[in-house]
């Protein structure tokens, strides 16, 4: 599903505003219920009312690969600057250069992309073919038994909401791509200020307060190994069907240093 608004005002006459997007892998019997849910979501998004909603349904012939969700944790931050610092430290520990970080935060600050920016880990170069659209991770889903386990683990932490489940599934697919080192995300929902840094090395680390409440900025950045051939990465993220069939540990609040240390032993 893709929902957008035509640009308003003189300057924006030709530009389009991304309102909402969603995708998944479903059986035929689940399809009607899911489509109703997607339409509801498009019509009631906090970013505003869409002028266009596009629904695309495709039969997937390839057997999905199966993966586990990344281990989930949440760190505490008391200010925007601390939240950004924690995310930066985590990314630096993963080998992302300062230049690449600057380039990533500039993307998130600007917002209004449908997909994610691909940024090279050292030189901080934008690599995706279409910078407005970005790379849209698609063909991803979760098996019903795994969803039940995930929901009950998140409920114990008081975070059993679609936003967390969908982002964790997406981040787990992204991290399963061998050339993606890390992901940085800030939601563009003006009311949702918790962002995350995800990587196969440190898991999915939720960071509250990554933006001020009420702001529509946000987006996703995937940091890829310098010199990677990006076409196979994009092909994997956009086209290869991947299902979560196993749930990794879901921990409560942790110190960022604990997460770093536990993996550096
Ligand atoms: P959300 O987490 O839905 O608030 O999305 C925040 C931003 O992440 C969007 O504005 C897009 O730039 C990006 N994004 C959302 N969904 C995807 C996806 N499936 N693949 C890549 N990027 C996405």
């Amino acid at each position: 599903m893709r929902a957008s608004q035509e640009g308003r005002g003189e300057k924006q006459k030709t530009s389009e505003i991304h309102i909402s997007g969603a995708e998944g892998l479903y059986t035929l019997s689940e399809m009607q219920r899911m489509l109703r849910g997607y339409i509801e979501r498009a019509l009631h998004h906090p970013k505003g009312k869409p002028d266009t909603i596009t629904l695309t349904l495709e039969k997937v012939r390839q057997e999905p690969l199966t993966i586990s969700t990344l281990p989930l944790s949440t760190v505490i931050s008391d200010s925007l600057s601390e939240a950004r610092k924690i995310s930066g430290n985590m990314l630096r520990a993963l080998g992302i250069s300062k230049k690449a970080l600057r380039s990533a935060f500039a993307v998130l600050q600007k917002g209004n992309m449908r997909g994610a920016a691909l940024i090279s880990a050292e030189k901080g170069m934008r690599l995706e073919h279409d910078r407005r659209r970005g790379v849209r991770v698609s063909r991803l889903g979760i098996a019903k038994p795994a969803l039940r386990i995930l929901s009950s683990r998140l409920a114990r932490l008081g975070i059993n909401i679609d936003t967390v489940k969908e982002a964790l599934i997406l981040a787990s697919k992204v991290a399963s791509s061998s050339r993606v080192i890390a992901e940085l995300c800030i939601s563009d929902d003006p009311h949702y200020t918790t962002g995350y840094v995800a990587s196969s090395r440190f898991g999915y680390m939720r960071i509250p307060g990554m933006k001020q409440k009420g702001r529509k900025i946000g987006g996703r950045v995937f940091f890829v190994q310098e010199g990677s051939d990006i076409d196979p990465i994009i092909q994997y993220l956009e086209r290869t069907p991947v299902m979560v069939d196993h749930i990794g540990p879901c921990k409560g609040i942790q110190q960022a240093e604990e997460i770093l240390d536990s993996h550096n032993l």
Side-chain angles (χ1 to χ4, degrees):
M1 180 275 292
R2 177 183 169 210
S4 60
Q5 225 174 41
E6 283 160 25
R8 310 244 195 273
E10 270 311 299
K11 266 195 199 154
Q12 293 173 312
K13 250 181 193 160
T14 52
S15 65
E16 186 188 76
I17 299 164
H18 169 74
I19 296 289
S20 171
E23 44 276 299
L25 275 177
Y26 303 105
T27 58
L28 260 183
S29 62
E30 293 167 320
M31 216 160 67
Q32 292 204 1
R33 184 173 57 84
M34 290 316 302
L35 283 175
R36 272 197 298 276
Y38 282 165
I39 294 170
E40 276 297 299
R41 183 191 296 214
L43 290 175
H44 301 111
H45 199 279
K47 276 182 81 179
K49 284 263 179 266
D51 299 310
T52 308
I53 304 174
T54 309
L55 296 166
T56 309
L57 290 88
E58 280 177 293
K59 181 172 179 171
V60 173
R61 292 171 199 280
Q62 200 182 337
E63 193 60 34
L65 300 175
T66 52
I67 59 164
S68 168
T69 52
L70 291 170
L72 172 142
S73 57
T74 301
V75 295
I76 289 289
S77 63
D78 355 297
S79 63
L80 178 73
S81 62
E82 199 194 347
R84 299 260 173 121
K85 194 169 148 202
I86 292 171
S87 65
N89 288 346
M90 180 61 69
L91 290 164
R92 295 283 292 135
L94 286 159
I96 310 303
S97 72
K98 284 189 178 159
K99 199 169 176 197
L101 276 185
R102 275 197 297 276
S103 168
F105 277 108
V107 168
L108 301 186
Q109 207 59 38
K110 190 156 174 246
N112 200 32
M113 281 178 73
R114 275 174 60 203
L118 282 187
I119 292 184
S120 68
E122 258 173 65
K123 293 186 183 155
M125 308 257 288
R126 288 286 293 276
L127 301 173
E128 71 274 18
H129 299 302
D130 178 343
R131 287 194 184 191
R132 264 193 73 90
R133 178 184 178 277
V135 175
R136 186 89 200 167
V137 183
S138 197
R139 302 196 170 192
L140 71 174
I142 182 164
K144 279 197 183 126
L147 179 59
R148 276 195 291 275
I149 296 169
L150 178 61
S151 299
S152 87
R153 290 192 188 167
L154 293 179
R156 265 184 251 146
L157 301 171
I159 50 171
N160 184 26
I161 52 172
D162 286 346
T163 314
V164 174
K165 285 186 274 200
E166 287 176 7
L168 178 63
I169 296 166
L170 186 147
S172 301
K173 177 173 180 183
V174 173
S176 72
S177 161
S178 59
R179 309 295 284 181
V180 178
I181 302 171
E183 174 184 353
L184 171 64
C185 170
I186 299 179
S187 172
D188 53 14
D189 178 336
H191 306 303
Y192 195 78
T193 57
T194 300
Y196 68 81
V197 172
S199 62
S200 54
R201 185 150 159 228
F202 295 121
Y204 179 94
M205 184 174 74
R206 303 174 63 244
I207 312 173
M210 283 288 281
K211 70 172 183 183
Q212 280 135 347
K213 223 176 171 86
R215 296 205 63 199
K216 288 183 184 172
I217 59 144
R220 281 184 160 84
V221 171
F222 304 152
F223 296 96
V224 301
Q225 284 169 9
E226 199 66 41
S228 298
D229 179 1
I230 59 156
D231 288 333
I233 302 176
I234 296 174
Q235 173 73 20
Y236 178 75
L237 296 174
E238 295 194 335
R239 306 296 295 171
T240 304
V242 171
M243 285 294 271
V244 165
D245 71 343
H246 189 82
I247 303 301
C250 297
K251 294 185 189 150
I253 289 165
Q254 287 195 293
Q255 298 293 329
E257 295 75 25
E258 258 180 274
I259 302 171
L260 285 170
D261 290 347
S262 63
H263 291 77
N264 285 334
L265 293 175

